[in-house]
Amino acid sequence: MRSVPNAEGRRLLILFVLLTMVTARADEAFPRGPGPTSIAGPAGQAPDVAPPAPRLATTLDAATLDRLVDPDTRDETIASLVEATDVRALPVLRALLEGNLYRGPPVFMEQQGTLQDALTGAPAQADRDQLEQVTINNRVRKMLERAVAALSVLEGPPGERLAAARVLQENPGPEVLPAVQKALARERDPQVKKGLQATAAMLALASADAAQRLAAVEELRKAHAKRQLMQRLEVERDPQVLTALYDAVRNVDLALQRAATVGLLFSGLSLGSILLLAALGLAITFGLMGVINMAHGELLMVGAYATWLVQAAFRGSRHFDWYLLAALPASFVAAALVGALLEITVVRKLYGRPLETLLATWGASLLIIQAVRVAFGAQNVEVSNPGWMSGGVTLLPDLVLPWNRIMILAFSASVLFGVWLLLRHTRLGLLVRAVTQDRQRAAGLGVRTPRVDLLAFAIGSGIAGLGGCALSQIGNVGPELGQGFIVDSFMVVVLGGVGQLAGTTIAAASLGVVNKLLEPWAGAVMAKIAVLLFVIVFIQRRPQGLFALRGRALEEG
């Protein structure tokens, strides 16, 4: 039989029914919108997760530390500290993340092997055997990484604030939004502010408000945050927001393609500038003098090692950032001296015999490589960039042009201009061109041709040394540094027209750009093979190169 409720039970039941009816009428009179359990918005809108219930922001004190080391209240305490944007909690949260927080009482943290009071930061003494290390799991670790990054955007150098903003972009969470908004309101650095705007937009993308999501989509489009936009596409149901997401993704794709194209062109010009530096000296020794110098790559290496030695002399000095001003003349002089010695001992007796010159200079290149190995070792050495050549210029969110490459481009242009001035507007240049066009007539007019040959060969070698100085700023320096540039240098000189500076410049830029444009499609090796085949076919069709040759090689041929 069913039990019959007594009078008191009946009264309680009636009161419960009346309370339920009053609550339902209040809901009808004052609608509150979808709560945490709502599964669909009006008219088919996206089923967004409701924002978390507001919690009381907590600052760092002894009670907060006790809750932080308690596993049952740790998550809520971390979130409340972030919402309070209390940067005093940053060392404590870092210590917890790194496993350096201990339960006493009181709560201690370890900094560089020294125990400190977690609340005051003062040094403390305690028996480590009586302390319990506070451990965390992977879920809490992820939450702590987010919390540390959220508080780090509020203080520290601009680089650290920007790095913290990027961490939040990779690991977003709704509890960090107040800290990001506070940091955004006070940020003055343009680059950090842009990163914080993108971070705030990523957090707002999960908002239940469609208008906020639309604004977040626009910010993420400006930041080229394709991954976050694609992730939202998988869960978004609002038609207007979906349309904005698809448009933003297409816009970002086009911007990324433009950035990639500009980046490839810049990389090609950068490679072309290096080839130009390597080939300018060869344009004199091979183009104007008809000497096939297979040791030209080793002259690049000599210039690079001269730069390394100058850097070593400046290391530890307050003038270290300006060591390149001394390295440039040192690399030129070192390579010029080696080139002059090579001309006197090997090349001078072989003018007019290109095959013998090729074999002799190839043997000289092996001797130079072995001499460097004996003197400095077979391992590569590192040449550091000066501070003013570090970093880069951000043209687009996905395109950064390194300063060292930009400076090499400018340096190549200045060296080219200097060589042109030397050959066209100096007495030495006039003598070099006279000997190139007609050696016997120049000798008959009193020109000391052996001296002109020596000076021209030394200057061409010195220019190669300048190229080695530039190469040292973008890679390691080793005994075989020049081996990778000798073939490319000859291709540049032959393609441009032997002895023609304009042709050498155009050929270097063209080969560099074509090589970089082919690399994404065919790979680095196949791109080089394709360029080599193109040069071979071009020379068969046009043996004189891009510009016609006038020089000793043609006259004697």
Side-chain angles (χ1 to χ4, degrees):
M1 296 181 60
R2 289 179 295 179
S3 60
V4 179
N6 55 21
E8 184 178 358
R10 286 196 296 271
R11 285 197 299 271
L12 289 174
L13 181 61
I14 293 172
L15 286 174
F16 176 77
V17 172
L18 290 174
L19 182 61
T20 303
M21 293 173 63
V22 170
T23 304
R25 289 181 178 273
D27 285 341
E28 292 175 0
F30 305 98
R32 293 175 294 175
T37 57
S38 64
I39 58 176
Q45 287 187 0
D48 294 293
V49 179
R55 61 173 66 83
L56 184 62
T58 304
T59 56
L60 189 66
D61 53 25
T64 304
L65 283 175
D66 291 336
R67 293 197 301 273
L68 185 63
V69 298
D70 186 353
D72 296 332
T73 57
R74 182 177 298 151
D75 291 3
E76 184 179 356
T77 304
I78 293 173
S80 63
L81 285 172
V82 173
E83 289 186 4
T85 63
D86 187 1
V87 294
R88 295 180 305 138
L90 192 54
V92 179
L93 294 178
R94 280 186 178 139
L96 179 58
L97 178 62
E98 296 168 0
N100 294 327
L101 199 66
Y102 299 89
R103 191 202 313 256
V107 179
F108 297 96
M109 62 181 178
E110 186 177 9
Q111 297 284 349
Q112 298 179 350
T114 303
L115 284 178
Q116 298 178 359
D117 187 289
L119 184 59
T120 64
Q125 299 291 333
D127 185 1
R128 290 182 180 268
D129 294 335
Q130 302 299 321
L131 299 180
E132 178 186 356
Q133 183 182 19
V134 182
T135 58
I136 57 176
N137 56 28
N138 289 334
R139 180 186 59 80
V140 177
R141 183 178 303 279
K142 189 173 183 180
M143 187 178 184
L144 275 171
E145 290 174 350
R146 196 160 51 230
V148 168
L151 296 179
S152 296
V153 299
L154 295 166
E155 65 174 11
E160 293 183 6
R161 299 199 303 273
L162 182 59
R166 288 171 176 166
V167 169
L168 292 177
Q169 293 175 13
E170 298 295 329
N171 185 16
E175 74 276 7
V176 304
L177 186 56
V180 173
Q181 290 174 336
K182 182 177 180 180
L184 187 57
R186 56 194 280 191
E187 185 58 60
R188 294 295 178 265
D189 187 277
Q191 191 173 5
V192 179
K193 191 167 187 176
K194 188 178 295 185
L196 288 172
Q197 288 172 343
T199 303
M202 291 177 189
L203 297 174
L205 198 60
S207 171
D209 186 358
Q212 290 188 13
R213 297 202 302 277
L214 284 172
V217 169
E218 178 62 19
E219 287 294 331
L220 293 177
R221 181 193 65 81
K222 295 178 182 178
H224 294 182
K226 181 180 178 179
R227 181 170 63 86
Q228 286 76 16
L229 293 171
M230 294 296 294
Q231 289 175 349
R232 187 62 193 180
L233 271 175
E234 298 176 359
V235 297
E236 185 60 57
R237 294 296 179 269
D238 186 279
Q240 187 178 3
V241 179
L242 270 176
T243 301
L245 282 170
Y246 280 116
D247 291 341
V249 169
R250 283 193 295 268
N251 188 280
V252 170
D253 283 335
L254 291 175
L256 291 176
Q257 291 176 5
R258 288 195 298 268
T261 302
V262 174
L264 285 175
L265 291 175
F266 176 78
S267 297
L269 290 175
S270 176
L271 176 60
S273 68
I274 295 171
L275 292 178
L276 178 62
L277 285 173
L280 269 179
L282 198 62
I284 296 176
T285 58
F286 176 53
L288 297 180
M289 301 176 63
V291 175
I292 303 177
N293 182 15
M294 293 300 293
H296 186 78
E298 279 56 56
L299 297 173
L300 290 168
M301 179 259 292
V302 169
Y305 268 99
T307 304
W308 174 69
L309 290 173
V310 172
Q311 174 203 250
F314 274 76
R315 191 172 296 281
S317 168
R318 60 190 180 93
H319 303 295
F320 177 79
D321 279 346
W322 304 103
Y323 79 87
L324 272 181
L325 295 181
L328 288 174
S331 59
F332 181 88
V333 171
L337 290 175
V338 173
L341 181 62
L342 185 63
E343 198 275 341
I344 293 172
T345 57
V346 177
V347 176
R348 179 168 295 182
K349 301 178 176 61
L350 299 175
Y351 281 124
R353 293 188 287 175
L355 181 59
E356 288 86 344
T357 305
L358 183 150
L359 293 175
T361 53
W362 177 65
S365 71
L366 298 180
L367 288 176
I368 296 174
I369 291 174
Q370 287 303 117
V372 169
R373 282 176 178 163
V374 171
F376 304 108
Q379 300 297 322
N380 290 346
V381 297
E382 182 181 0
V383 177
S384 302
N385 290 131
W388 50 273
M389 285 182 65
S390 302
V393 179
T394 304
L395 292 186
L396 298 171
D398 304 283
L399 179 62
V400 178
L401 306 183
W403 273 117
N404 57 353
R405 298 275 183 173
I406 294 175
M407 296 306 296
I408 289 176
L409 273 169
F411 178 65
S412 301
S414 63
V415 172
L416 176 65
F417 182 68
V419 173
W420 178 80
L421 285 178
L422 174 69
L423 293 178
R424 294 294 175 181
H425 297 281
T426 66
R427 177 174 172 79
L428 176 59
L430 178 63
L431 295 177
V432 169
R433 286 184 287 121
V435 173
T436 298
Q437 293 174 12
D438 196 325
R439 168 180 286 271
Q440 292 181 353
R441 184 171 298 178
L445 291 173
V447 177
R448 298 169 58 186
T449 55
R451 182 172 177 270
V452 173
D453 292 336
L454 175 62
L455 290 175
F457 200 93
I459 290 173
S461 301
I463 295 172
L466 293 177
C469 180
L471 283 173
S472 68
Q473 301 302 306
I474 58 174
N476 292 327
V477 176
E480 298 183 357
L481 171 68
Q483 295 290 304
F485 290 93
I486 185 63
V487 175
D488 291 335
S489 300
F490 273 105
M491 281 199 302
V492 168
V493 173
V494 172
L495 178 63
V498 180
Q500 299 293 329
L501 292 183
T504 301
T505 304
I506 295 173
S510 302
L511 290 181
V513 170
V514 170
N515 196 76
K516 286 299 180 181
L517 290 177
L518 289 177
E519 279 185 4
W521 305 94
V525 176
M526 291 304 298
K528 281 188 174 294
I529 294 175
V531 169
L532 179 60
L533 292 176
F534 166 76
V535 172
I536 293 173
V537 173
F538 182 86
I539 294 303
Q540 286 181 340
R541 296 286 183 178
R542 188 178 173 84
Q544 69 271 30
L546 292 174
F547 292 85
L549 170 69
R550 286 192 66 191
R552 179 186 304 165
L554 185 63
E555 297 291 338
E556 295 183 358

